[in-house]
Amino acid sequence: MDTAPSAASAHPRSAAPADARSRRKVATAAALASAVEWYDYFVFGIAAALVLGDLYFPAGSPSAGVLASFATFAVGFLARPLGGVIAGHLGDQRGRKPMLVLALTLMGVATTGIGLLPTYQTIGIAAPVLLVLLRVMQGIAVGAQWGGAMLLATEYAPEGKRGIYGSFVQLGVPIGVVTANSVFLVAGAATSESAFAAWGWRVPFLIGFFVLGLAWYIHTKVEETPEFRAAERALAEKEKGEKSSPLRTILRGHLGTVLLAGGSFAVNTATFYILITGILDYTTRELGMERSAVLTVSLCVSLTQLVLIPASAALSDRIGRIRIYALGAVGLAVWAVPLFLLVDTASLLWLAVASFVTSCFLSIMYGPQAALFAELFTPEMRYTGASLGYQIAAILGGGLAPFIMVLLLEATGTSMAVSAYIIGLSVIALASIKVLATRASSSSGSESR
């Protein structure tokens, strides 16, 4: 039995299918939007681990500076649900495309602003305050972006291929990581340590300005999705007094589904940010490993996700989303202890092995996630519901994970505490997945009767 949620089948598409050329153009635009948005978002995480603590939070010990820097990193995640709520509400009423364009524009402005921001030494306390505000803008932007890009891809997908089309947007994450790491590696190699600290780290942020060009392309060249147009026509036929906002509908009737979606995905976001940000700080500051070597490992591991993510998504189109999704969550729980046992060797080879296996389990979950979340909600509330579920997971997992990792290491003196944190989130994920699977099975059974 296919254990994927049945919301999609319960609400068949009523719009005419898009032609193959339109699908390719939209899928490419959605993937690019996701890639550049995540690039802009990830450069902050890398900079937080490497330089921002000293430049914007200079008082106290090195650990205190890193904690302050990671706290600012986490602020972006706290702002993501706000972006998801605003863009979800308007995206379900006005369309997917306008909100995606707005998100890209906001991200381009915020990232460029960080690249131009004076340090604490230059303008004092205003520097960290402005850094936090710009990070909040990044969080709102990425919170708004994911739902729009994901729905552009999945709502244009042909029948039976929603998983693989949704994975094009998910590929934006490893592409963003690879690009961000590559730019930092080049900036570090082209400058001395002092020059990198003075201005080299700003280059990756200033490149974010070019996201504005992609926003203009999507605004002028990409059409709205067929499913949204069909839902819009259906809503237009109702009496005006009968209309309800998507957010109100979600909060009144589907909040449990949103929370289950968030609980199912928090372990993925937490482990991902521990892998690309927390471990970068831990290996360079605590284990004495070379920054460029650790960044290279992160880059190479992210490249493997370009294959693994669409492969797991395609498999989910055949045997069901939840089966594949749950397999990834089980893998993260089992691998949490070996991960840090290998990292603690301070061997580049074992770091690569540990990171690669972790990346495999992350990809197994992340591939079908876009289609899974889209199928949990009907088109008229899909942007709001899917975005909220994703961004709740971002707060519970990703945003706080590097911060919690440093706290756990400082408090316990052992990386096994971080492994226990991952295992705890895995248990929550599996419990949430079990409930989602039970609901999907019950829904399928009632429909067959």
Side-chain angles (χ1 to χ4, degrees):
M1 181 185 73
D2 187 344
T3 57
S6 57
S9 60
H11 300 274
R13 303 175 186 192
S14 56
D19 59 63
R21 181 174 177 274
S22 295
R23 285 173 178 151
R24 286 195 299 270
K25 182 171 72 172
V26 170
T28 300
L32 286 174
S34 178
V36 297
E37 190 93 347
W38 285 116
Y39 164 83
D40 283 6
Y41 200 68
F42 290 145
V43 292
F44 192 101
I46 297 173
L50 297 178
V51 297
L52 295 185
D54 292 335
L55 295 175
Y56 291 91
F57 307 96
S61 67
S63 295
V66 171
L67 279 171
S69 182
F70 279 163
T72 304
F73 177 68
V75 165
F77 288 83
L78 296 176
R80 282 170 59 169
L82 178 59
V85 167
I86 295 172
H89 177 79
L90 295 175
D92 282 330
Q93 291 189 330
R94 306 288 179 86
R96 313 335 188 177
K97 187 182 80 169
M99 294 303 102
L100 180 56
V101 171
L102 180 62
L104 289 168
T105 303
L106 185 62
M107 180 63 84
V109 171
T111 305
T112 305
I114 294 171
L116 298 173
L117 185 64
T119 64
Y120 185 93
Q121 186 177 5
T122 304
I123 61 173
I125 193 63
V129 170
L130 290 173
L131 182 66
V132 169
L133 291 176
L134 289 169
R135 182 60 179 169
V136 168
M137 288 176 61
Q138 281 194 320
I140 292 173
V142 82
Q145 173 270 146
W146 182 80
M150 178 271 290
L151 292 179
L152 273 182
T154 59
E155 291 186 347
Y156 261 100
E159 294 294 338
K161 293 187 177 181
R162 180 171 268 164
I164 189 64
Y165 269 68
S167 74
F168 296 155
V169 174
Q170 307 297 72
L171 286 175
V173 170
I175 292 172
V177 172
V178 168
T179 308
N181 278 285
S182 298
V183 174
F184 265 100
L185 280 170
V186 171
T191 60
S192 64
E193 287 290 332
S194 59
F196 181 81
W199 60 267
W201 68 271
R202 297 181 181 275
V203 174
F205 287 94
L206 296 177
I207 290 174
F209 177 79
F210 293 102
V211 71
L212 299 176
L214 180 61
W216 178 251
Y217 173 83
I218 293 175
H219 175 67
T220 58
K221 301 295 184 181
V222 174
E223 296 181 0
E224 190 53 80
T225 71
E227 284 197 39
F228 173 76
R229 292 198 300 267
E232 188 177 39
R233 287 194 295 270
L235 288 172
E237 293 172 359
K238 295 182 178 181
E239 290 294 327
K240 191 171 183 179
E242 296 177 356
K243 291 185 179 180
S244 178
S245 77
L247 179 59
R248 187 179 300 114
T249 301
I250 287 290
L251 294 178
R252 286 181 175 177
H254 304 274
L255 182 58
T257 302
V258 169
L259 295 176
L260 287 169
S264 75
F265 196 61
V267 65
N268 189 284
T269 56
T271 308
F272 175 76
Y273 285 101
I274 285 172
L275 188 66
I276 70 162
T277 301
I279 287 180
L280 174 60
D281 166 65
Y282 178 59
T283 53
T284 55
R285 184 169 57 88
E286 297 289 343
L287 302 182
M289 299 180 71
E290 290 292 329
R291 178 186 68 202
S292 60
V294 177
L295 284 172
T296 301
V297 167
S298 179
L299 187 154
C300 293
V301 167
S302 295
L303 285 172
T304 65
Q305 293 184 310
L306 298 178
V307 176
L308 294 171
I309 287 174
S312 65
L315 189 59
S316 79
D317 282 331
R318 297 174 62 86
I319 68 173
R321 317 277 182 232
I322 290 182
R323 286 194 180 102
I324 304 301
Y325 198 61
L327 176 61
V330 170
L332 290 176
V334 171
W335 187 246
V337 171
L339 165 63
F340 277 97
L341 290 176
L342 294 175
V343 170
D344 284 342
T345 65
S347 162
L348 198 62
L349 174 61
W350 289 121
L351 173 64
V353 172
S355 300
F356 172 72
V357 176
T358 307
S359 177
C360 288
F361 292 126
L362 289 172
S363 300
I364 289 170
M365 281 192 79
Y366 201 56
Q369 184 251 345
L372 173 62
F373 279 28
E375 291 168 353
L376 292 174
F377 306 97
T378 54
E380 63 273 11
M381 59 179 173
R382 184 173 288 157
Y383 201 139
T384 303
S387 292
L388 273 179
Y390 189 95
Q391 304 314 332
I392 286 172
I395 290 179
L396 297 177
L400 296 175
F403 183 82
I404 290 174
M405 178 177 171
V406 175
L407 284 180
L408 289 172
L409 291 170
E410 290 290 317
T412 67
T414 173
S415 60
M416 290 300 99
V418 187
S419 297
Y421 171 56
I422 295 173
I423 292 170
L425 289 175
S426 297
V427 172
I428 294 173
L430 289 170
S432 300
I433 292 168
K434 175 64 175 175
V435 176
L436 288 173
T438 301
R439 287 185 173 187
S441 179
S442 299
S443 176
S444 297
S446 64
E447 286 172 14
S448 64
R449 291 193 294 272

